[in-house]
């Protein structure tokens, strides 16, 4: 949850005074903890509001309700409440009043006992264009900045305008008239509702009047800082811009893109080098991960850009995107390393197996777990000359390895194990690309001696907030301490990522686990919903994993959490969450309960519930260890 200052025309001093007055609530006023005053909402159609009524009106035997913009919602016996109301775009006001619950036989409003209000900003919904006038609204879902594209690429162009017209676009000096088609409106499923709600597709849809066209870039195209020019023709429709050409009863309007385009720039391709220690290569700008945990100093071939992002060529048909802030351009003439792998060797150690492949430098790599016993590692910019694979004969972990060359510039090694994965790591060292496969800890029948990292989520960032103002960071720490004590009682060595409310950055938490040679990692959290999801369904306890070797741990803990706490089963999820992405050990994140629901916030504060969670997490880890499949 986040807030944004939308009052940009007010001086800083006046703004501080305004916010102080606007957010001030008298002691006998209703306290609204979410949303915050001036916040920009993440939904355009509905939102929840959390808070508490003053203690002064909480008298014995009195049942209260609150009305949020007129809609009634119950008040918990602790004085907290949650409401859910529709929104309208622009500045939106939540008015909350507290009343004594009226008798069933009457629907009349009872006397206002307390009140409170805040104002937020609701983004405008998609523009709907009337068919009565001909106009171009502008780019539709434009690039994230100026484009640089090369031969062979497809440029997708779209704009929004009056529905039912005939559209085309031009790029001066490149293409004079490229036909466009109007796209039929499509339903848009809101990710929040699809994941956390009832899973139904939202009634919202793309607006009418979206026109789309495609142009393939040819070698002969050349141009710098070009704008796309849109044209829209309508029959028997009056053009909004009277300066546009009108022929008989047909009008034509034109407009230009807000972004610019450079085609076949002589500056591309060129090499870039990663500056950060852990880089992510994505399938698209701000899209899913293609390859994570890429090293500092990795050289990539940039072939285009969009805004602050570079498009990089990885192999013959594989491409990815990296953020420009994480890389630097290297001097002209340098090209990314190409290696030829001649041999692969397997080294067996007490706690791990290491597979080494000599390479000429750093390469982008991707790991794929096909199942619990198969790992594929893809190296880009590598060609096989592989004649030899050497095994340590008496090793009990690795069954066999095979190499493939799926396409030019893409080498793949597939490793089959005799037992399930516990964890693995990939890194470059001493002229080798290394794959370290971690053996399971010894004697999994007991937790004694196992190194378990417990991570109380959040700290400086408070996380979600309950209706009383109790923060998730506080709740996570209190529960984590109970989990720690329960695990220590079983003989485990427990490492806490934090033991107080001091700030521990998100990126530091996996580092703490790796430095302490963690066998298992569990992050403790409590849940909330995104804006726009109805909070009055059944919401309970949930568990998250990222890597395949962690799914059995997530299921084991989740099974115990549901049984021990009595909360509804809210599911096991694959989640792209920073603290559970590392591959070296089984790692899960547990969402114990929902902070935002009054009855569950009260539960989270209780010693009984904290001990139930501790018992469940401990039992889940024990079950995972005992049930671990050692194979043959």
């Amino acid at each position: 949850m986040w807030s944004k200052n939308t009052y940009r025309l007010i001086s800083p001093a006046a703004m501080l005074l305004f916010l102080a007055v606007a957010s001030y609530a008298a002691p006998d006023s209703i306290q609204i903890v979410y949303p915050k005053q001036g916040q920009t909402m993440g939904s355009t159609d509905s939102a929840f509001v959390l808070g508490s009524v003053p203690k002064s009106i909480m008298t014995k035997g009195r049942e209260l309700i609150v009305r949020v913009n007129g809609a009634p919602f119950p008040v918990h016996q602790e004085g907290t409440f949650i409401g859910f109301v529709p929104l309208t775009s622009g500045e939106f006001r939540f008015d909350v009043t507290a009343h004594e619950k009226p008798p069933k036989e009457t629907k009349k409003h009872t006397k206002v006992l307390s009140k409170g209000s805040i104002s937020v900003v609701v983004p405008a919904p998609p523009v709907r264009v009337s068919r009565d006038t001909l106009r171009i609204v502008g780019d539709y879902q434009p690039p994230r900045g100026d484009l640089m594209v090369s031969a062979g690429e497809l440029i997708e162009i779209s704009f929004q305008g009056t529905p039912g017209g005939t559209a085309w676009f031009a790029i001066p000096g490149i293409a004079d008239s490229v036909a466009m088609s109007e796209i039929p409106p499509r339903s848009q499923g809101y990710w929040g509702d699809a994941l956390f709600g009832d899973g139904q597709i939202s009634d919202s849809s793309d607006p009418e009047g979206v026109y789309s066209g495609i142009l393939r870039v040819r070698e002969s195209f050349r141009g710098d800082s070009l704008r796309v020019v849109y044209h829209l023709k309508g029959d028997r429709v009056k053009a909004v811009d009277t300066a546009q050409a009108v022929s008989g009863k047909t009008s034509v309007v034109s407009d230009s893109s807000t972004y610019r385009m450079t085609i076949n720039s002589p500056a591309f391709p060129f090499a870039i080098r990663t500056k950060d220690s852990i880089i992510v290569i994505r399938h698209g700008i701000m899209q899913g991960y293609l390859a994570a945990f890429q090293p500092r100093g990795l050289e990539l071939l940039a072939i285009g850009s969009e805004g602050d992002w570079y498009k990089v060529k990885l192999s013959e048909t594989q491409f990815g995107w990296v953020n420009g802030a994480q890389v630097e351009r290297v001097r002209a003439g340098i090209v990314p390393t190409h290696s030829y792998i001649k041999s692969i060797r397997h080294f067996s150690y007490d706690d791990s197996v290491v597979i080494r492949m000599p390479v000429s430098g750093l390469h982008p790599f991707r790991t794929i777990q096909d199942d619990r016993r198969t790992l594929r590692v893809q190296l880009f910019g590598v060609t096989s000359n592989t004649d030899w694979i050497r095994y340590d004969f008496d090793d009990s972990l690795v069954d066999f390895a095979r190499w493939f060359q799926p396409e030019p510039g893409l080498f793949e090694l597939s490793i089959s194990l005799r037992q399930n994965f516990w964890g693995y790591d990939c890194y470059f060292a001493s002229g080798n690309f290394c794959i370290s496969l971690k053996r399971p800890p010894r004697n999994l029948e007991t937790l004694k001696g196992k190194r378990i990292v417990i991570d109380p989520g959040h700290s400086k960032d408070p996380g979600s907030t309950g209706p009383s103002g109790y923060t998730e960071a506080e709740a996570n720490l209190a529960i984590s301490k109970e989990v720690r004590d329960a695990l220590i009682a079983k003989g485990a060595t427990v490492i806490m990522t934090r033991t107080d409310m001091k700030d521990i950055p998100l990126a530091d938490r996996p580092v703490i686990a790796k430095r302490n040679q963690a066998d298992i990692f569990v992050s403790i959290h409590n849940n909330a919903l995104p804006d726009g999801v109805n909070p009055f369904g059944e919401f309970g306890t949930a568990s998250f994993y990222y890597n395949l070797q962690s799914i059995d741990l997530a299921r084991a803990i989740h099974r115990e959490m549901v049984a021990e706490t009595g909360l509804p089963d809210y599911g096991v999820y694959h989640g792209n969450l920073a603290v559970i992405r590392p591959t070296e050990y089984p790692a899960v994140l547990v969402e114990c309960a929902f902070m935002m629901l009054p009855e569950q916030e009260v539960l989270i504060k209780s010693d009984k519930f904290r001990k139930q969670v501790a018992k469940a997490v401990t039992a889940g880890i024990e079950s995972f260890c005992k049930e671990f499949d050692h194979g043959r």
Side-chain angles (χ1 to χ4, degrees):
M1 298 177 181
W2 56 281
S3 60
K4 183 179 179 182
N5 178 8
T6 57
Y7 302 91
R8 300 184 184 279
L9 301 181
I10 302 176
S11 70
M15 173 56 69
L16 289 173
L17 178 61
F18 171 80
L19 288 178
V21 172
S23 61
Y24 172 75
D28 58 351
S29 296
I30 290 174
Q31 307 293 315
I32 299 174
V33 301
Y34 182 84
K36 300 296 185 182
Q37 173 66 35
Q39 176 175 329
T40 298
M41 304 303 293
S43 171
T44 61
D45 59 1
S46 56
F48 44 81
V49 55
L50 311 178
S52 60
V53 302
K55 295 187 184 302
S56 59
I57 66 171
M58 295 293 296
T59 58
K60 187 176 181 180
R62 172 186 269 179
E63 287 189 75
L64 301 178
I65 63 168
V66 293
R67 293 187 179 274
V68 182
N69 295 359
F73 299 96
V75 174
H76 190 270
Q77 62 185 8
E78 296 293 320
T80 54
F81 66 87
I82 181 170
F84 187 65
V85 294
L87 301 173
T88 55
S89 60
E91 184 176 349
F92 183 86
R93 183 181 172 97
F94 290 94
D95 287 309
V96 186
T97 55
H99 309 256
E100 191 163 2
K101 186 177 180 180
K104 290 183 178 180
E105 60 272 12
T106 178
K107 294 184 179 180
K108 292 183 179 179
H109 291 197
T110 53
K111 178 183 176 182
V112 174
L113 302 175
S114 182
K115 59 184 179 180
S117 65
I118 60 162
S119 293
V120 298
V121 176
V122 179
V127 176
R128 306 291 173 178
V129 184
S130 169
R131 292 175 178 266
D132 297 335
T133 54
L134 185 65
R135 69 187 182 109
I136 293 175
V137 176
D139 308 317
Y140 186 73
Q141 297 180 344
R144 294 175 180 265
D146 291 345
L147 286 175
M148 290 192 175
V149 294
S150 302
E153 292 191 64
L154 290 176
I155 307 173
E156 298 180 16
I157 306 293
S158 58
F159 73 87
Q160 185 183 0
T162 304
T166 301
W168 65 97
F169 72 85
I171 303 176
I174 301 295
D176 292 331
S177 180
V178 181
M180 305 180 77
S181 296
E182 185 175 357
I183 301 172
R186 301 167 182 146
S187 295
Q188 296 180 17
Y190 172 45
W191 74 269
D193 215 28
L195 188 64
F196 299 114
D198 58 13
Q200 299 299 311
I201 296 295
S202 171
D203 291 336
S204 65
S205 62
D206 292 327
E208 291 186 310
V210 174
Y211 298 87
S212 178
I214 301 174
L215 178 68
R216 182 178 292 278
V217 179
R218 299 177 184 173
E219 290 282 358
S220 58
F221 291 172
R222 292 286 186 279
D224 293 325
S225 300
L226 304 171
R227 291 195 188 274
V228 182
V229 181
Y230 308 128
H231 301 286
L232 181 62
K233 180 174 72 172
D235 295 334
R236 302 181 182 278
V237 179
K238 181 181 178 181
V240 172
D241 186 350
T242 56
Q244 297 294 333
V246 178
S247 174
K249 295 181 179 180
T250 300
S251 300
V252 177
V253 292
S254 303
D255 200 0
S256 297
S257 64
T258 58
Y259 60 92
R260 295 179 182 272
M261 187 184 306
T262 296
I263 300 177
N264 283 328
S265 167
F268 284 94
F270 56 81
I272 53 177
R273 182 181 294 129
T274 57
K275 298 188 297 184
D276 292 348
S277 57
I278 300 177
I279 298 294
V280 173
I281 302 174
R282 298 175 181 263
H283 287 286
I285 296 173
M286 296 300 294
Q287 300 303 309
Y289 286 16
L290 186 153
F293 304 114
Q294 305 300 291
R296 185 197 306 269
L298 175 67
E299 291 171 355
L300 301 161
L301 187 67
I303 61 168
S305 66
E306 181 176 326
D308 296 331
W309 291 75
Y310 285 113
K311 184 177 183 179
V312 295
K313 183 172 183 177
L314 301 173
S315 63
E316 188 73 16
T317 67
Q318 301 281 316
F319 302 88
W321 292 85
V322 295
N323 192 304
Q326 296 180 315
V327 298
E328 60 187 358
R329 186 167 175 173
V330 300
R331 67 180 183 271
I334 292 180
V335 296
T337 300
H338 198 98
S339 294
Y340 300 86
I341 291 182
K342 181 75 172 175
S343 63
I344 300 169
R345 186 169 178 182
H346 157 249
F347 295 84
S348 183
Y349 301 101
D350 289 342
D351 61 349
S352 64
V353 166
V354 177
I355 295 173
R356 296 177 187 167
M357 295 178 278
V359 289
S360 302
L362 306 182
H363 292 273
F365 66 90
R366 172 169 58 186
T367 61
I368 303 168
Q369 287 179 272
D370 290 319
D371 53 48
R372 290 172 174 79
R373 297 189 180 186
T374 307
L375 178 68
R376 284 190 292 135
V377 181
Q378 296 181 332
L379 282 165
F380 297 98
V382 174
T383 298
S384 171
N385 187 27
T386 310
D387 294 329
W388 310 97
I389 300 177
R390 176 178 172 178
Y391 301 92
D392 274 3
F393 176 71
D394 61 353
D395 180 65
S396 61
L397 182 59
V398 173
D399 193 6
F400 59 87
R402 296 181 296 165
W403 67 265
F404 305 90
Q405 189 81 45
E407 63 178 66
L410 175 57
F411 177 88
E412 179 174 298
L413 182 70
S414 177
I415 305 166
S416 295
L417 304 186
R418 290 191 171 100
Q419 59 185 242
N420 288 2
F421 281 104
W422 189 271
Y424 67 92
D425 191 16
C426 295
Y427 55 92
F428 293 90
S430 303
N432 289 282
F433 177 74
C434 303
I435 306 166
S436 176
L437 304 168
K438 188 173 180 179
R439 298 185 191 280
R442 291 190 175 126
N443 192 11
L444 289 178
E445 293 299 313
T446 175
L447 294 186
K448 186 175 182 180
K450 307 303 181 289
R451 302 181 66 79
I452 302 174
V453 173
I454 299 298
D455 171 47
H458 303 282
S459 51
K460 182 179 180 180
D461 161 25
S464 56
T465 303
S468 73
Y470 188 52
T471 69
E472 186 190 351
E474 296 173 288
N476 297 344
L477 182 60
I479 293 172
S480 294
K481 287 180 177 179
E482 290 288 350
V483 175
R484 173 196 63 192
D485 293 347
L487 289 169
I488 289 174
K490 293 284 188 175
T493 299
V494 179
I495 299 96
M496 298 273 284
T497 59
R498 67 181 178 97
T499 56
D500 53 31
M501 296 301 290
K502 292 179 182 177
D503 183 40
I504 303 295
L506 189 63
D508 288 357
R509 297 170 191 238
V511 173
I512 292 171
K514 190 169 184 177
R515 184 172 63 234
N516 285 278
Q517 298 179 312
D519 292 319
I520 286 173
F521 180 99
V522 179
S523 188
I524 302 295
H525 286 250
N526 284 279
N527 222 336
L529 292 170
D531 288 332
V533 180
N534 190 330
F536 296 112
E538 274 201 346
F539 300 113
T541 186
S543 297
F544 293 75
Y545 76 96
Y546 184 75
N547 296 300
L548 192 57
Q549 75 263 26
S550 302
I551 188 171
D552 291 332
L553 176 60
R555 285 172 173 163
I557 291 177
H558 186 69
R559 181 176 63 239
E560 298 293 339
M561 286 286 290
V562 172
E564 185 64 34
T565 66
L567 288 173
D569 170 9
Y570 201 56
V572 173
Y573 299 73
H574 172 272
N576 187 4
L577 305 170
V579 292
I580 57 174
R581 277 199 295 265
T583 59
E584 293 95 325
Y585 40 76
V588 299
L589 184 147
V590 181
E591 295 278 9
C592 303
F594 271 77
M595 291 286 301
M596 62 187 293
L597 300 178
E599 62 276 11
Q600 291 194 22
E601 183 196 29
V602 171
L603 192 67
I604 289 167
K605 289 180 177 181
S606 71
D607 288 338
K608 179 182 177 181
F609 180 76
R610 292 168 182 168
K611 291 183 185 301
Q612 286 175 327
V613 172
K615 183 178 178 181
V617 171
T618 302
I621 295 174
E622 285 183 309
S623 294
F624 167 73
C625 290
K626 290 175 181 177
E627 295 166 6
F628 183 77
D629 189 350
H630 289 275
R632 59 182 175 86

